[in-house]
């Protein structure tokens, strides 16, 4: 009964990993020559490439700079909207809408938002007699602009997990805390957060895994530019494979991504197991 | 159970009621801006030029932008392709995850834990991460530039398998035993006992799967070459690239709205099921 699943998993998950391993150690010694074992050469080339180092660093900034703010915002939304009412349902829907539209579509909207001078942001800033930076054209700003889009897109998704998590907090825990004279921040610190620990762990993991696999907005907004300031690992791999035809370097880049994903997963194996529950039997 | 119908005695929202609500209102305002602009710009008779950035409509709404978007890209065709892709993936997934979910929930077999971890591996290795070797495999199978090529890597789903496994395990074993005594085959037992009782999980998985593949971009972009086979997302990206050069922002807004509309409408119709399924499918 596992056979159909295992067949597809083997074809599109396990076998590709083996291929990537093999490919990363092989390459053409001469242009147009046959594939040969080249040892660590692909990795040396990869790490010698400033664009790759930039993509790696960007991806780390991007991961922390999007997952943590989205998580904090999502927790805030969930706490503010935990009580069920018509108004709250409306707000929840509002925060959830960005989750439903394709990332490419969100990027198309933000393309205008970030447009210099006439764009949505600059136009309204000008009314306040302010002028914005070149949101997507300035290498120091572009990555942050892209991160803003990601936060807008994802916070509503994480909110749902927190809404579910909050239901696990027993009401008497709050009552007891209030009787003990706990202020709002103390209740957050000593009641809400401890109960939400598993949810926070889960959201952190799926957030970090998502960050590596989503680059659609980079594709539409900046193509990794200006001067690689918004390049992310997956986009770099795509460029190497599709634009530079450098299969060896693309494979080595993929392996670095795999290593990072493995690290995230391994460090959170207990959270994942609890969510999907193999150990509980 | 459900996010929309819950009521905790002392609400967590009370942490700082006024401050919390004021902040929520402010952020909600910010969150709305991109949608608001998409709506206002899409119906603006001036597709190009100054004033596109206004969020207050000061015009008589027109459908001209939609007509132009409709004419410059084959959205019905893209929509049909997306529909075939998402439903095709879902149909095969339901078979694979049901079988695998049953195996993990009810069968004892050597290497079960190993298999569990092998499945877990797919949770982090989304096919798009392995984009280069997967493209090679698709090409070798003769599926390059075909809708089947877009679908195939998603036919197995670890996430769905785990979801079904949990749903199946909540079903009393006695029900299956009774059917067994009556001589029901394993497929009859799955079809008549397990699947009907696991319907909520199946619905949840369907919504998550359809949303994910409806919105997917990079993988179909790599696999599809013919314009005729483009899904909505790929079609929108190339459409936007064209219209961006012409600075036709009203047309871009209209096209974006066209592409986003199906899921937004589905959400408006089935809001509660949508939200609940996302929540319940994530964690238990």
């Amino acid at each position: 009964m596992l056979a159909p699943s295992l067949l597809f998993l083997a074809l599109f998950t396990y076998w590709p990993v083996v291929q990537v391993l093999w490919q990363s150690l092989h390459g053409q010694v001469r242009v147009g020559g046959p594939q040969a074992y080249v040892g660590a050469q692909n990795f040396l080339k990869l790490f010698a490439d400033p664009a790759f180092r930039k993509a790696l660093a960007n991806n780390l900034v991007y991961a922390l700079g999007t997952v943590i703010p989205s998580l904090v915002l999502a927790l805030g939304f969930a706490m503010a909207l935990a009580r069920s009412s018509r108004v709250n349902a409306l707000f929840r829907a509002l925060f959830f809408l960005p989750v439903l539209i394709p990332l490419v579509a969100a990027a198309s909207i933000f393309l205008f938002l970030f447009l210099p001078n006439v764009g949505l942001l600059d136009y309204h800033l000008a009314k306040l007699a302010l002028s914005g930076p070149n949101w997507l054209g300035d290498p120091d700003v572009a990555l942050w602009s892209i991160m803003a889009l990601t936060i807008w897109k994802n916070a509503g998704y994480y909110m749902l997990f927190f809404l579910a998590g909050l239901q696990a907090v027993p009401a008497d825990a709050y009552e007891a805390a209030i009787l003990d004279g706990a202020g709002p921040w103390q209740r957050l610190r000593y009641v809400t957060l401890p109960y939400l620990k598993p949810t926070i762990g889960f959201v952190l993991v799926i957030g970090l895994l998502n960050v590596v696999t989503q680059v659609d907005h980079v594709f539409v907004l900046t193509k990794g530019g200006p001067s690689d300031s918004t390049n992310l690992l997956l986009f770099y791999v795509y460029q190497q494979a599709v634009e530079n035809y450098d299969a060896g370097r693309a494979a080595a880049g993929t392996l670095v991504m795999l290593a990072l994903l493995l690290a995230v997963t391994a460090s959170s194996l207990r959270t994942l197991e609890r969510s999907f529950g193999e150990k509980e039997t | 159970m459900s996010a929309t119908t819950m009521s905790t005695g002392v609400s967590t929202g009370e942490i700082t009621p006024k401050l919390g609500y004021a902040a929520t209102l402010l952020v909600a305002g910010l969150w709305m801006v991109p949608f608001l602009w998409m709506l206002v710009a899409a119906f603006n008779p001036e597709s190009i030029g100054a004033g596109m950035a206004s969020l207050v409509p000061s015009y008589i709404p027109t459908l001209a932008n939609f007509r132009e978007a409709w004419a410059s890209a084959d959205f019905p065709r893209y929509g049909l392709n997306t529909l075939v892709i998402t439903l095709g993936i879902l149909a095969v997934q339901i078979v694979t995850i049901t079988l695998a979910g049953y195996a993990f929930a009810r069968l004892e077999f050597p290497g079960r834990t190993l298999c569990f971890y092998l499945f877990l591996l797919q949770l982090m290795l989304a096919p798009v991460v392995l984009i280069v070797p997967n493209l090679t495999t698709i090409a070798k199978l003769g599926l390059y530039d075909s809708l089947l090529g877009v679908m195939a890597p998603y036919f197995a789903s670890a996430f769905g398998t785990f979801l079904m496994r949990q749903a199946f395990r909540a079903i009393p074993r006695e029900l299956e035993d009774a059917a067994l005594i009556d001589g029901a085959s394993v497929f009859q037992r799955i079809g008549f006992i397990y699947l009907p009782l696991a319907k909520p999980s199946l619905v949840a998985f369907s919504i998550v799967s359809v949303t994910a593949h409806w919105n997917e971009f990079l993988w179909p972009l790599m696999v599809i070459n013919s314009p005729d086979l483009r899904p909505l997302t790929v079609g929108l990206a190339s459409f936007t690239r064209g219209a961006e050069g012409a600075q036709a922002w009203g047309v871009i807004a209209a096209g974006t709205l066209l592409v986003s509309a199906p899921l937004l409408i589905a959400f408006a119709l089935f809001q509660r099921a949508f939200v609940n399924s996302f929540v319940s499918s994530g964690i238990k």
Side-chain angles (χ1 to χ4, degrees), chain B residues 134-149:
Chain B
N134 274 342
L135 201 65
T136 318
T137 307
I138 288 295
K140 277 191 188 137
L141 293 173
L143 296 177
Y144 180 74
D145 199 23
S146 74
L147 293 182
L148 195 58

Side-chain angles (χ1 to χ4, degrees), chain A residues 9-101:
Chain A
L9 287 177
L11 256 179
F12 297 108
T13 304
Y14 313 139
W15 175 235
V17 174
V18 177
Q19 269 181 297
V20 162
L21 273 170
W22 187 89
Q23 185 70 59
S24 70
L25 298 173
H26 291 74
Q28 291 165 338
V29 183
R30 292 174 293 107
V31 176
Q35 293 271 318
Y37 180 78
V38 293
Q41 226 180 72
N42 282 321
F43 290 95
L44 293 176
K45 267 199 302 187
L46 186 71
F47 280 97
D49 182 359
F52 171 75
R53 291 204 302 264
K54 188 89 188 140
L56 188 63
N58 284 344
N59 227 144
L60 293 178
V61 173
Y62 178 77
L64 294 177
T66 58
V67 174
I68 291 170
S70 312
L71 194 141
V72 172
L73 273 171
L75 183 61
F77 296 163
M79 289 200 308
L81 306 174
R83 181 172 292 190
S84 97
S85 73
R86 251 164 217 285
V87 183
N88 283 357
L90 198 73
F91 276 124
R92 285 181 202 158
L94 176 68
F95 289 127
F96 187 67
L97 282 184
V99 181
L100 291 173
I101 68 170

